[in-house]
Amino acid sequence: MRAWINGRTLESPDEPALGVLDHGLVVGDGVFETVKVVDGIPFALTRHLERLARSAAGLGIGEPDLDLVRRGVEATVEGQDLPFGRIRITVTSGRGPLGSPRGHEGQTVVVVTEPAARPDATTAIATVPWARNERGALSGLKTTSYAENALMVEHAIRHGASEAVMANTAGLLCEGTGSCIFYVLDGQLVTPTLESGCLAGVTRALVLEWCRDEIDVVERDEPIDVLRRADEIFLAGTTRDVQGISRVDDRELPAPGPVTRLAAKIFAERAAETVDP
C-alpha cells in the first residue's frame, strides 16, 4: 500500500498525516472515488475524475484540482507491482470546526493505492430493511458520509452475503452499497434509472454503452421484490466488473446465467481494448 496527501508521498500509510480537525473526519464532509488498477494501469480514470468533480460540486466543497489528483495517482502507482489493485481518491473540505459549518483553509486531497484480490465470478446479496433517500441532499453523490453503507454491509455479511441491496423511499429497487444492480426479466436486461437515487456508476454506464448492440438492455424502475422474480441478477462495480448473483436473501439462482455471461464477456473484451474508455 502506498499513500499520498496534498502533494506528499508518505513514508508509510500509517504515518500521521491528517489533522484531527479535518472536516472529512469530523463530519464526513468529503467525496471519493475507487479506481481499478490492472497491470499497473488505472482503468477509466478520466470518468472517475469527472464524477469526483461532479460529487464535489454537488456537495459544495469546491472544484478539486484534477491535475494534482492525477499526480497523486501516479505517485502511488509508479514502481509498484500491481497485477490487480485499487486506488482510493478522497477529497475533503479541509480543516474545519468541531461542527457542521465548514472552514476556509482549502481541501485535503488523499490518494491511496493497494493490491486487491480479483473478484469471484459470483456472489450473494442480501436486501436490507433500510431505504436510500432518493430526494436527500446527498442523492447521487459519492461522498465519504458512508456510515449507513457500512451498517448495511455488516448486515449483509451476517446473512452470508458480500453486498447489501436496498430500495428507495418509494420501495423501488435502487442499488447496492458500492455497486449498481442489473437483472434479467423476460429476456430483457434491466437496471434502475438514476432517478431512483442510485449512483451514476462508471461500470454501470459502460455496461449500458457496450452491451446495447448485443443485449436488449433498458433503464426502468421496479419494486425491489422484482429480485424474487428475476431470471438472473448481477452487480456492476469498479472492482467487481460484472459479477453474477447466485443467491439473493434465501433465493438461489443459477449463476452466472447466459445474459450475465454475455455481458461479462463484452465488458472484458471492451475493457481490454482501452484503459480509459
Side-chain angles (χ1 to χ4, degrees), residues 16 41 53 58 62 98 113 140 156 160 171 173 198 231 233 236 269:
I41 301 173
L98 288 176
T113 298
L173 178 63
C198 71
D231 301 312
I233 304 170
E269 290 174 350

Side-chain angles (χ1 to χ4, degrees), residues 202-221:
V202 169
T203 308
R204 173 189 183 275
L206 291 173
V207 169
L208 289 170
E209 291 173 24
W210 288 346
C211 290
R212 278 188 167 133
D213 287 343
E214 299 185 48
I215 300 174
D216 178 15
V217 55
V218 298
E219 298 171 81
R220 185 173 70 237
D221 291 321

Side-chain angles (χ1 to χ4, degrees), residues 30 45 56 62 73 116 119 124 141 148 171-172 198 213 244 262:
L45 181 60
V73 169
L141 306 180
E148 69 172 9
L172 301 174
C198 71
D213 287 343
L262 178 56

Side-chain angles (χ1 to χ4, degrees), residues 42 44 54 67 76 79 89 98 100 108 119 128-129 143 148 161 165 177-178 203 212 215 252 257 263 266:
R54 291 196 302 271
D67 289 335
T76 58
I89 302 166
L98 288 176
S100 296
T108 300
V128 295
T143 76
E148 69 172 9
V165 173
T177 64
T203 308
R212 278 188 167 133
I215 300 174
E252 303 284 342
I266 293 169

Side-chain angles (χ1 to χ4, degrees), residues 11-205:
E11 293 295 327
S12 163
D14 296 321
E15 177 185 339
L18 189 69
V20 296
L21 295 180
D22 191 278
H23 230 221
L25 174 65
V26 174
V27 295
D29 192 25
V31 297
F32 78 99
E33 287 289 322
T34 299
V35 183
K36 179 177 67 173
V37 179
V38 180
D39 295 328
I41 301 173
F43 177 73
L45 181 60
T46 297
R47 289 186 185 237
H48 281 286
L49 294 184
E50 289 173 348
R51 189 174 63 180
L52 182 78
R54 291 196 302 271
S55 293
L59 194 59
I61 63 172
E63 183 177 352
D65 183 341
L66 297 185
D67 289 335
L68 177 66
V69 175
R70 284 184 181 273
R71 291 199 293 274
V73 169
E74 292 170 2
T76 58
V77 170
E78 186 177 8
Q80 289 215 69
D81 182 18
L82 286 170
F84 190 81
R86 60 187 168 196
I87 305 164
R88 163 74 181 236
I89 302 166
T90 305
V91 178
T92 80
S93 60
R95 191 177 188 275
L98 288 176
S100 296
R102 291 170 175 150
H104 304 282
E105 298 186 22
Q107 296 173 342
T108 300
V109 182
V110 179
V111 182
V112 181
T113 298
E114 67 172 359
R118 293 185 183 272
D120 295 331
T122 64
T123 192
I125 60 174
T127 58
V128 295
W130 306 287
R132 181 73 83 215
N133 184 359
E134 72 278 12
R135 296 178 294 169
L138 302 184
S139 179
L141 306 180
K142 196 169 180 67
T143 76
T144 58
S145 300
Y146 233 57
E148 69 172 9
N149 286 351
L151 176 64
M152 291 180 187
V153 167
E154 288 302 312
H155 175 94
I157 290 171
R158 289 195 301 271
H159 288 79
S162 72
E163 175 63 304
V165 173
M166 72 214 71
N168 63 16
T169 61
L172 301 174
L173 178 63
C174 187
E175 62 181 348
T177 64
S179 60
C180 295
I181 190 161
F182 287 75
Y183 58 91
V184 177
L185 194 64
D186 299 326
Q188 190 173 58
L189 181 60
V190 186
T191 194
T193 70
L194 296 182
E195 286 71 27
S196 71
C198 71
L199 187 70
V202 169
T203 308
R204 173 189 183 275

